[in-house]
Amino acid sequence: MMTTNKPADSGDFRLPLDVQPTHYDVTIKTDLENSRFEGVVKINLDIKKETSTIVFNSADLRLNDASLYSDELKISQVDPSPSFDDKAERCVLSFSTPVPTGSKATLSIAFSGELTGAMMGYYKSSFEHDGTKKYYTLTQFEPTAARRAFPCWDEPLLKATFAVTMISRADTVNLSNMSITSEEIFEPKTTKVEDPSLEALFSALTTQDSTEAQWKISKFQTTPPMSTYLVAYANGRFAYLESSYKSPLSGKIRPLRIYSTPDVIHQAQYALDIKAKVLPIYEEIFDIEYPLPKLDTLVAHDFDAGAMENWGLITGRTSAFLLDPKKADVFGKKRVTVFQSHEIAHMWFGDITTMEWWDYLYLNEGFATLMGEVIIVGVYPEWKVHSSFISEHLNDALDLDAKLSSHPIEVHCPDANQINQIFDSLSYAKAGSVLRMLSNFVGQERFLKGVSMYLKKHLYGNTVTKDLWQGISESTGVDVPRIMDNWISKIGFPVLTVTESENSIHVRQDRFLESGPAEEKDNETIWAVPLALLTTTNNKVNIDKSVVLDTREKRFAIDTSKPFKLNAGTYGVYRVLYSDERFAAIAKEAAKGDAVFSLSDRIGLVHDIMALSKAGFCKVSSALTIVDILHDEKEYLVWDSIARNIGTLVSTWWEHEAVISDLNAFRKALFVPVVKRLGYEYSPSESVDISQLRTRAVGQAAVAGDSAVVEELKTWFAEYMRTQDDSKIPGDLFRTTILTAVKHGGREEYEFAKALYENPTTPPSKSIPAIMAMCASQDEACIKDMFTYILSKARTQDIIYFINGLQTNFRTRRSCAQFFQENYAELAKRFEGNFSFKSVVSSSFGNLTKEEDYQKIVDFFKVMLISNINGRADAMR
């Protein structure tokens, strides 16, 4: 049944609202041995408008036995020839008797599908145990893949409650959003099947004595109202670690678990500890208790995104949640902390309160990006996350938004098939940065109060932008839409050009583009820019946060003979262009420490001057002079911003050996003295700042080719290869060590890195550096081997690491782009429907610099576009 392909109208990708779901009973049987799943879904419906058709989402499923029972009509109807719209991923059922307005109905459908490695829908993931490949299953539904697991109304607005029942082998573990209410071994004589629609499913179950062959039934509590993309379930032979937290609002103690395969569960303790630490902080800030009875995390070996905020069952890849307990490096701790904190923020932003449609994705991701960092202040204040946000998120957002091809934060997305494209730095990093700017402008305490009001007003509901602005306006008395609307709805951001006179400054705003001054047609937006104007009087620093530039240009009275600066604290989402003399004056004052300009000011100064020089607003030599003025800086985060920007310069000029040589000489002049001062030894008693600065300095000296540093690292790695003991390599320097050793080594070092990646118990802090090291090889035979290896051996989720590594190696940049083009069909098929393919595409080509490169890329994708259109046309015929 249900194989008909009558076209439905796919012009509107939103489902009609004449019928809306209120509750789902979902029963799923997982057959790991045969890589199949099947089940039955019963959906309670509210009939908002009389209709004889039911339209819902379904994709890649075989549907059977669909029936509609009307409570008011007291009849059950079937459609013998349903129609499908493959493009819109919808099914239409038509019935002879319309169901009346205001009535209720129940739709029952049996479904089945294949468990593939697609990393979306309900899929299987693999791991090795005692040399044998084993499988388990999990879901990834965001944004539109719940329809690949069971028929549903797969849109965020159409919330409903869910009662999940899982049927699986008795020796496996079943997980879902809620806690298990009952679990029993299936026995034909004693197991009661009260619902006739489930009889066929249960009658097919076999019964044997061994637990591996027996089936069990796990029933889960009913969820609160939620969107389909947040529903989750998993089945496998998992192990777990357990903890709990006490709610500061109610005193209730909730269990917390983290699950993984048994071979790596010992690496999951840190992520579990972070979960227990941040949950009560979130409750106190939002004044809303986490509403579910438990919060689990499942670590997956194959996962498309980094992690996913399924309500009550967070999922994510190994690199997001695993940490080597014996050699936990600072970078690894930060990565796991940010991932866990970000996903827990979603338990409120996205799960309790959900955007109405994907246009408003930033209401989920922007808040989770910002709050995921704000919360860490209460856990690791020494990480200085208010300042690290500038390099980790703000600068990343500005780099992407400086392109002509950028898009607004709130982007119209009528086509559900295009939603994956807006999961980028603008929805995450720019949205988080704009909210951070607003928080600084109105005051963080009042901002968070407004956020709490917004969440409470829309508990279990859906929201749009105006709902958020209303909450913050009520708590602050500020006309938030006047300040914020253009930041959210318009493309780009401004550069503020400062011109000085004796007693004033003239400030003008224009759109900033990485290619240089914007043409008039691209420079129409006037932003309301919080200037956060820093001035000094009698050696006292004053910051006026109330000053706003809401016109094209304006003059402000200040004493320019004293130090001053716009964007104090670097909270603003913009660049500031001063004269060369003023830049130098700010840098010289900044070099004295925190008396006038803060750590965040110094970080922002470095990023601004380098971005402005790259875009041609000032000379690169002037930017490097500013960097050189800061050469006695003590703070790691300033050095980090310097390293990032010099790395960008080197990458930009990668085909000009003389320029690269000069830049590497400059890099060595900056970082080698730091290596000599700090040495290679890490001490538990030293500050995190010192540890990170040492790691960064050694890494920069190595990549710049300092012979002493390179030889030291090669010696460490040679000992590791000889003894299989890496205890002499500090955990924080493992990445730099293996990269350097393979880059300056040969086949033996390359094969050692490959073996490390292939070992299933290698923690992510080693397996990902092993990939990057393989890609750093300069040996032609190794490079050739690696391109073959990517397609034959690499996990699909890891291909992006290989591509990034190959692009870091100047020797393989063009061959990497060629590899992508030659293997496009296979790569596109492996990543079909996944988030990460867009990153594979952009990384494969993003570092090419010649006009002929550009033309080849354009021509290639024109051919691919025509091929895809013709392919779809053939399929329709």
Side-chain angles (χ1 to χ4, degrees):
M1 179 187 171
M2 295 204 173
T3 57
T4 310
N5 261 308
K6 285 195 302 186
D9 179 16
S10 60
D12 183 358
F13 281 84
R14 300 287 293 271
L15 290 170
L17 297 178
D18 52 357
V19 174
Q20 295 183 25
T22 60
H23 176 75
Y24 293 76
D25 280 306
V26 186
T27 302
I28 316 104
K29 173 193 168 188
T30 303
D31 187 347
L32 285 171
E33 288 77 16
N34 295 302
S35 297
R36 287 189 55 78
F37 66 93
E38 58 183 313
V40 174
V41 61
K42 296 186 68 174
I43 310 170
N44 295 345
L45 303 174
D46 277 350
I47 310 302
K48 302 294 184 180
K49 181 181 178 182
E50 182 181 81
T51 182
S52 58
T53 61
I54 303 292
V55 184
F56 56 88
N57 294 116
S58 180
D60 295 337
L61 294 174
R62 180 174 178 81
L63 307 184
N64 290 286
D65 302 327
S67 64
L68 181 71
Y69 178 80
S70 168
D71 288 4
E72 184 164 320
L73 300 176
K74 306 297 183 186
I75 61 171
S76 183
Q77 303 182 75
V78 297
D79 178 2
S81 57
S83 64
F84 285 90
D85 182 339
D86 291 336
K87 182 180 178 182
E89 299 180 335
R90 295 190 302 197
C91 176
V92 180
L93 302 177
S94 300
F95 302 103
S96 57
T97 304
V99 283
T101 301
S103 67
K104 297 186 182 300
T106 302
L107 177 66
S108 177
I109 309 175
F111 59 89
S112 60
E114 301 290 330
L115 289 168
T116 70
M119 298 192 294
M120 65 176 178
Y122 192 31
Y123 71 96
K124 64 181 179 180
S125 178
S126 67
F127 71 105
E128 282 192 21
H129 182 67
D130 294 334
T132 304
K133 183 176 280 191
K134 305 284 187 179
Y135 294 95
Y136 57 91
T137 62
L138 70 155
T139 56
Q140 169 57 40
F141 289 166
E142 188 180 33
T144 58
R147 64 192 68 176
R148 299 177 185 278
F150 60 93
C152 57
W153 274 252
D154 200 10
E155 296 183 3
L157 177 65
L158 301 174
K159 288 190 170 187
T161 55
F162 293 81
V164 174
T165 299
M166 298 187 71
I167 304 169
S168 67
R169 291 298 184 183
D171 65 334
T172 62
V173 175
N174 288 320
L175 302 173
S176 190
N177 305 86
M178 302 294 285
S179 300
I180 288 178
T181 57
S182 68
E183 195 164 67
E184 63 174 317
I185 302 297
F186 173 72
E187 296 287 352
K189 295 180 180 179
T190 59
T191 301
K192 294 182 179 180
V193 182
E194 298 176 352
D195 189 337
S197 66
L198 298 176
E199 288 179 355
L201 189 62
F202 280 96
S203 64
L205 299 180
T206 58
T207 57
Q208 298 181 33
D209 292 335
S210 67
T211 56
E212 294 87 353
Q214 290 179 326
W215 295 93
K216 72 175 179 181
I217 305 162
S218 306
K219 293 182 178 291
F220 294 85
Q221 293 178 19
T222 301
T223 70
M226 60 188 289
S227 302
T228 49
Y229 79 90
L230 295 167
V231 174
Y233 40 86
N235 171 247
R237 293 167 179 88
F238 304 126
Y240 69 87
L241 301 174
E242 189 168 27
S243 181
S244 64
Y245 86 100
K246 183 178 181 180
S247 168
L249 301 184
S250 70
K252 184 176 182 179
I253 295 176
R254 280 186 181 80
L256 305 172
R257 286 183 178 181
I258 187 163
Y259 289 83
S260 75
T261 52
D263 54 327
V264 294
I265 191 63
H266 65 287
Q267 299 174 29
Q269 184 65 50
Y270 180 79
L272 179 62
D273 293 343
I274 290 298
K275 181 160 57 174
K277 288 177 181 178
V278 302
L279 262 165
I281 302 175
Y282 276 118
E283 285 195 1
E284 289 183 313
I285 285 180
F286 301 141
D287 194 34
I288 300 171
E289 187 173 359
Y290 173 71
L292 302 191
K294 56 90 177 177
L295 179 55
D296 295 332
T297 300
L298 173 63
V299 185
H301 291 77
D302 299 284
F303 202 80
D304 179 33
M308 176 62 203
E309 65 269 19
N310 309 303
W311 212 0
L313 179 56
I314 295 169
T315 51
R317 58 173 62 196
T318 55
S319 61
F321 296 125
L322 297 185
L323 193 67
D324 185 352
K326 295 179 181 177
K327 301 191 76 171
D329 59 307
V330 176
F331 176 80
K333 282 186 174 181
K334 283 188 171 182
R335 182 188 67 243
V336 174
T337 302
V338 168
F339 265 111
Q340 191 70 286
S341 182
H342 179 102
E343 301 311 324
I344 292 172
H346 277 305
M347 299 299 107
W348 286 265
F349 293 102
D351 296 8
I352 292 179
T353 303
T354 312
M355 75 263 154
E356 182 197 66
W357 181 248
W358 301 102
D359 297 19
Y360 307 102
L361 175 66
Y362 82 94
L363 291 174
N364 286 12
E365 299 301 348
F367 262 116
T369 299
L370 175 62
M371 297 308 304
E373 299 283 346
V374 168
I375 290 297
I376 295 171
V377 175
V379 181
Y380 289 111
E382 65 272 24
W383 287 359
K384 304 173 184 177
V385 294
H386 284 309
S387 297
S388 66
F389 189 98
I390 299 164
S391 292
E392 298 292 340
H393 299 292
L394 173 59
N395 197 61
D396 182 41
L398 295 183
D399 281 349
L400 181 58
D401 207 24
K403 300 180 184 298
L404 267 173
S405 57
S406 183
H407 65 76
I409 291 174
E410 184 180 295
V411 55
H412 185 49
C413 193
D415 185 347
N417 293 321
Q418 305 301 316
I419 292 168
N420 277 357
Q421 296 182 19
I422 64 173
F423 282 80
D424 58 17
S425 284
L426 300 176
S427 296
Y428 287 70
K430 186 185 178 185
S433 297
V434 166
L435 293 169
R436 174 175 173 264
M437 177 174 67
L438 175 61
S439 175
N440 183 63
F441 179 66
V442 302
Q444 181 171 293
E445 185 176 339
R446 296 197 302 165
F447 173 81
L448 292 176
K449 176 65 175 175
V451 169
S452 177
M453 293 169 64
Y454 156 77
L455 290 172
K456 289 177 179 178
K457 187 173 182 179
H458 300 282
L459 287 175
Y460 307 112
N462 297 84
T463 59
V464 296
T465 296
K466 65 180 179 62
D467 299 318
L468 174 62
W469 294 164
Q470 182 179 6
I472 300 175
S473 293
E474 288 179 13
S475 70
T476 63
V478 173
D479 184 356
V480 174
R482 184 183 72 84
I483 299 293
M484 297 302 295
D485 278 354
N486 279 358
W487 292 102
I488 297 297
S489 63
K490 301 295 184 181
I491 191 172
F493 65 91
V495 54
L496 306 187
T497 303
V498 179
T499 308
E500 299 180 34
S501 60
E502 185 175 349
N503 295 310
S504 66
I505 56 171
H506 177 269
V507 184
R508 175 187 168 91
Q509 61 166 297
D510 297 279
R511 182 180 173 191
F512 179 81
L513 293 172
E514 64 177 5
S515 53
E519 296 180 18
E520 187 174 347
K521 64 182 177 63
D522 300 315
N523 190 29
E524 297 176 348
T525 302
I526 301 295
W527 289 272
V529 186
L531 294 182
L533 179 57
L534 183 154
T535 57
T536 52
T537 306
N538 299 325
N539 295 321
K540 182 181 179 182
V541 175
N542 307 294
I543 300 176
D544 187 347
K545 295 183 179 180
S546 66
V547 183
V548 175
L549 176 66
D550 53 8
T551 57
R552 176 67 69 184
E553 48 195 319
K554 200 170 186 178
R555 186 170 294 277
F556 301 91
I558 66 168
D559 183 355
T560 56
S561 67
K562 305 280 177 50
F564 75 90
K565 181 182 179 291
L566 272 62
N567 199 12
T570 317
Y571 288 93
V573 184
Y574 52 88
R575 305 286 188 195
V576 184
L577 175 62
Y578 305 95
S579 65
D580 286 350
E581 294 77 15
R582 179 54 62 182
F583 265 128
I586 293 174
K588 288 173 183 176
E589 187 65 44
K592 298 175 184 178
D594 296 332
V596 175
F597 299 122
S598 68
L599 168 60
S600 294
D601 285 320
R602 303 198 295 279
I603 297 168
L605 174 65
V606 172
H607 286 307
D608 272 7
I609 188 68
M610 297 300 283
L612 289 163
S613 66
K614 182 182 176 183
F617 287 92
C618 56
K619 295 180 179 178
V620 173
S621 58
S622 299
L624 294 178
T625 298
I626 299 303
V627 170
D628 192 46
I629 291 172
L630 299 172
H631 70 275
D632 287 330
E633 175 65 51
K634 298 296 188 291
E635 292 275 3
Y636 157 72
L637 288 171
V638 179
W639 281 108
D640 177 62
S641 65
I642 291 170
R644 289 170 186 257
N645 281 286
I646 294 178
T648 299
L649 268 181
V650 171
S651 183
T652 302
W653 291 92
W654 65 283
E655 293 181 291
H656 300 265
E657 290 186 13
V659 177
I660 297 300
S661 178
D662 289 344
L663 286 171
N664 278 333
F666 182 58
R667 188 149 50 176
K668 284 187 277 188
L670 287 172
F671 288 98
V672 171
V674 180
V675 176
K676 291 179 178 178
R677 174 165 60 89
L678 298 180
Y680 297 93
E681 295 295 323
Y682 291 76
S683 168
S685 63
E686 70 185 13
S687 69
V688 172
D689 225 54
I690 293 296
S691 295
Q692 292 180 104
L693 180 54
R694 178 187 296 106
T695 304
R696 180 57 101 175
V698 172
Q700 288 295 295
V703 78
D706 181 74
S707 57
V709 172
V710 168
E711 287 305 314
E712 182 75 15
L713 301 180
K714 286 173 63 180
T715 300
W716 291 353
F717 197 74
E719 179 72 5
Y720 177 28
M721 290 175 62
R722 186 180 66 82
T723 65
Q724 301 294 310
D725 179 7
D726 68 349
S727 60
K728 292 186 178 179
I729 304 176
D732 292 84
L733 288 177
F734 184 86
R735 179 188 180 92
T736 294
T737 301
I738 191 172
L739 277 166
T740 303
V742 176
K743 179 180 180 180
H744 294 275
R747 187 76 186 208
E748 186 179 4
E749 289 81 4
Y750 170 83
E751 292 294 340
F752 190 89
K754 184 196 292 185
L756 196 62
Y757 166 65
E758 291 178 343
N759 186 334
T761 61
T762 299
S765 58
K766 290 183 180 178
S767 62
I768 296 175
I771 294 173
M772 303 300 285
M774 291 170 64
C775 298
S777 177
Q778 303 297 298
D779 183 281
E780 283 298 334
C782 294
I783 292 171
K784 183 178 180 181
D785 174 80
M786 186 169 40
F787 282 121
T788 302
Y789 186 88
I790 291 172
L791 295 178
S792 62
K793 295 289 186 66
R795 289 180 181 269
T796 299
Q797 71 158 18
D798 291 339
I799 289 177
I800 183 59
Y801 300 133
F802 282 94
I803 298 296
N804 287 341
L806 290 166
Q807 285 298 314
T808 303
N809 184 349
F810 296 165
R811 190 162 187 166
T812 55
R813 277 195 171 173
R814 281 208 163 74
S815 54
C816 175
Q818 187 66 31
F819 166 80
F820 177 90
Q821 293 178 65
E822 291 173 354
N823 297 281
Y824 172 80
E826 180 174 346
L827 291 169
K829 184 173 179 60
R830 287 178 68 168
F831 282 95
E832 186 175 5
N834 289 167
F835 290 107
S836 52
F837 190 50
K838 67 179 185 296
S839 297
V840 172
V841 175
S842 60
S843 184
S844 295
F845 299 104
N847 291 303
L848 303 182
T849 55
K850 294 181 178 178
E851 182 65 32
E852 62 193 70
D853 295 325
Y854 170 76
Q855 196 54 54
K856 286 179 180 178
I857 295 168
V858 170
D859 292 343
F860 170 74
F861 281 106
K862 279 182 179 177
V863 172
M864 290 302 103
L865 179 62
I866 293 171
S867 175
N868 288 341
I869 291 172
N870 289 340
R872 286 197 295 269
D874 290 341
M876 289 175 67
R877 294 191 196 102

